[in-house]
Amino acid sequence: QVQLVESGGGLVQPGGSLRLSCAASGLPFSIYIMVWYRRVPGQQREMVATINRYGDTHYVNSVKGRFTISRDNAKSTVYLQMNSLKPDDTAVYFCNAALISNYWGQGTQITVSS
């Protein structure tokens, strides 16, 4: 059974930092494309960052220079380091493992507010 478990969410002040983790099990993690998405109530889900098996990364423009996605294949874990957080980053963040099949975590809430 495939499981993706996110952690690291919470409340942070504008300008602060958080690191999200997503621990995967039940799949050959190293070959999967790992993706962080976020969703704000009433809006479409947005792809935030991706990382492939070779370590190539891609970011949505709004987080470039502030967020960094990385992966540790030995730990089957993908990370999202978020710096210089803004209120607009407030959302539920989900990790996704994509290849032939798609798997999703349960999501973790990030709230950026003073």
Side-chain angles (χ1 to χ4, degrees), residues 18-77:
L18 283 174
R19 188 175 83 153
L20 302 183
S21 300
C22 173
S25 60
L27 76 170
F29 177 83
S30 64
I31 66 172
Y32 271 75
I33 298 170
M34 298 303 298
V35 188
W36 284 100
Y37 287 88
R38 63 187 179 188
R39 187 179 67 221
V40 176
Q43 298 184 17
Q44 285 190 327
R45 185 178 61 204
E46 177 182 50
M47 186 281 296
V48 177
T50 70
I51 185 167
N52 66 15
R53 61 188 297 183
Y54 305 109
D56 301 319
T57 59
H58 175 78
Y59 300 91
V60 68
N61 284 340
S62 60
V63 308
K64 284 181 180 178
R66 300 189 297 121
F67 290 12
T68 302
I69 188 171
S70 61
R71 66 191 299 161
D72 184 336
N73 289 335
K75 296 182 178 179
S76 296
T77 300

